[in-house]
Amino acid sequence: MTTLSQIAWDDTVLPFQLDRSDVRGRIARLDGVLEQVLAQHNYPPMVEALVAEVALLTALIGQTIKLRWKLSIQVRGNGPIRILATDYYGPGENGEPARIRGWASFDADRLDPDAPPFSQIGEGYFAILIDQGEGTLPYQGITPLDGGSLAACAETYFAQSEQLPTRFELAYGRSILPGQGERWRAGGVMLQMMPAVAGAAREGSGEGGLLRHTDILAGEEDENWVRTNVLLDTVEDMELIGPGVELTGLLVRLFHEEVPRVFDPQRVEFGCTCSAERVRDSLAIYSAKDIGHMTTEDGKVTADCQFCGAHYEFDPASLGFEATVNPDGTPKAAADE
């Protein structure tokens, strides 16, 4: 049976503000979209857990930014789990859903099933990339892997790159609802001090000189931040994951003394932007000789989307800057006459 609260809040990000403490936030719950992201691949459980965590972070962070196109999170390390990558596409029009996709690259033979998933990434970096589309320069912010979780890395990123104290509280895992099979669910809260309140720090007190909230805030602002974090500490995993607890009810339960104010919720769904045309465009820089090296014994060039699993096959004569035929197979010379 599907409850009304599940229908209302699954695959949703709800923005809010705590007026008493000048803290803004997002609360999110992912169900179907997360299941679709993970269903594209047969990941081991620890890889699934990390993809679930980074997808939830992507939904929370992506909704905080006025996007014309895409926000991406990339995690790269030298451990068995080499890459975690997600994209968040902002809605094209008001009322449309945002779209999320994600994937992971890993060496199955090197995975340690008894080790914490985050430790399997090894040394590397956590990066957020913002691309507002044609005519703009992409932005990229990078921070080292630190703190024992991807959520901690995201907190460090905002403190270091934006000098905004930020807190994430996340829960995710496989669950079984009445009348349904086992599936992934996730939920989380993001708190962030309002930009007008946060100040600048000269140096950080964290490991390697990384910034902490105490390096940025002082006085009443620091007291407000600590108080809201203490309140968030009381949240339970099942409250975050749901579906029995509505997001608005959870906000009231956690922050009623901080005067919470909610804004329009944002729906999210799984979505991939891959297409045959995009693959052709990516291969346009290669010569006929290069294309020949990519051609299979069957005389085709193939490509698979890492995000959604879509499979594409091409006539090698139609690829690269020395292509002799058009995508529809007609000779290029005939098309140019």
Side-chain angles (χ1 to χ4, degrees):
M1 182 179 71
T2 302
T3 66
L4 290 177
S5 63
Q6 181 180 351
I7 293 173
W9 295 116
D10 276 358
D11 298 328
T12 298
V13 181
L14 179 67
F16 65 89
Q17 182 171 315
L18 306 178
D19 287 342
R20 179 188 175 195
S21 48
D22 286 320
V23 170
R24 65 181 179 181
R26 301 292 186 272
I27 182 168
R29 188 169 288 156
L30 301 182
D31 176 63
V33 62
L34 183 56
E35 187 70 15
Q36 286 183 275
V37 167
L38 293 171
Q40 310 305 318
H41 305 274
N42 185 25
Y43 294 135
M46 69 166 54
V47 178
E48 284 189 317
L50 288 172
V51 174
E53 183 178 4
V54 73
L56 184 55
L57 286 171
T58 304
L60 289 164
I61 296 171
Q63 211 284 329
T64 68
I65 298 170
K66 293 182 178 179
L67 282 176
R68 285 191 293 169
W69 192 37
K70 178 177 69 171
L71 175 141
S72 303
I73 293 181
Q74 293 185 6
V75 180
R76 292 179 179 264
N78 61 4
I81 300 176
R82 298 182 294 265
I83 301 174
L84 299 167
T86 54
D87 291 327
Y88 175 100
Y89 294 91
E93 302 289 344
N94 289 336
E96 292 184 354
R99 292 171 294 153
I100 293 178
R101 64 181 189 173
W103 71 282
S105 175
F106 62 96
D107 185 347
D109 294 334
R110 296 172 58 202
L111 288 175
D112 182 354
D114 298 322
F118 182 80
S119 71
Q120 301 292 281
I121 304 173
E123 297 180 354
Y125 65 83
F126 177 100
I128 290 181
L129 302 89
I130 300 173
D131 191 336
Q132 298 287 20
E134 186 176 354
T136 65
L137 293 176
Y139 162 83
Q140 177 175 280
I142 298 177
T143 190
L145 296 176
D146 175 66
S149 70
L150 296 175
C153 293
E155 292 171 358
T156 300
Y157 163 82
F158 280 106
Q160 194 72 22
S161 299
E162 309 293 334
Q163 299 207 344
L164 290 175
T166 305
R167 163 81 183 279
F168 293 93
E169 190 65 32
L170 310 179
Y172 43 88
R174 299 190 69 86
S175 65
I176 300 178
L177 300 177
Q180 299 183 19
E182 187 179 62
R183 59 189 297 163
W184 276 89
R185 290 182 61 83
V189 176
M190 173 185 182
L191 295 180
Q192 193 168 67
M193 195 55 106
M194 299 289 283
V197 175
R202 295 181 180 177
E203 59 181 292
S205 60
E207 183 178 351
L210 295 175
L211 293 174
R212 305 300 189 206
H213 84 270
T214 52
D215 302 320
I216 304 172
L217 300 176
E220 183 179 358
E221 288 79 21
D222 185 57
E223 292 177 3
N224 288 340
W225 180 247
V226 171
R227 187 178 64 253
T228 55
N229 276 264
V230 169
L231 294 173
L232 183 55
D233 287 339
T234 67
V235 74
E236 298 180 358
D237 285 355
M238 289 308 299
E239 290 182 295
L240 292 172
I241 295 175
V245 180
E246 295 186 2
L247 298 186
T248 49
L250 179 56
L251 282 178
V252 172
R253 207 281 288 169
L254 291 172
F255 303 117
H256 64 278
E257 294 181 354
E258 301 301 312
V259 193
R261 179 157 46 105
V262 300
F263 303 93
D264 292 339
Q266 175 64 64
R267 298 286 297 172
V268 293
E269 62 182 27
F270 174 78
C272 190
T273 61
C274 74
S275 66
E277 182 179 1
R278 287 180 180 271
V279 177
R280 288 185 184 280
D281 289 344
S282 69
L283 297 175
I285 61 173
Y286 293 102
S287 66
K289 182 179 180 181
D290 294 329
I291 297 297
H293 291 311
M294 305 176 193
T295 303
T296 67
E297 293 181 357
D298 296 333
K300 298 178 181 178
V301 173
T302 64
D304 296 305
C305 178
Q306 295 166 317
F307 288 99
C308 72
H311 178 74
Y312 299 98
E313 296 185 352
F314 303 94
D315 178 351
S318 69
L319 300 175
F321 61 82
E322 295 179 311
T324 57
V325 302
N326 294 300
D328 62 2
T330 59
K332 270 191 169 292
D336 294 335
E337 292 176 357

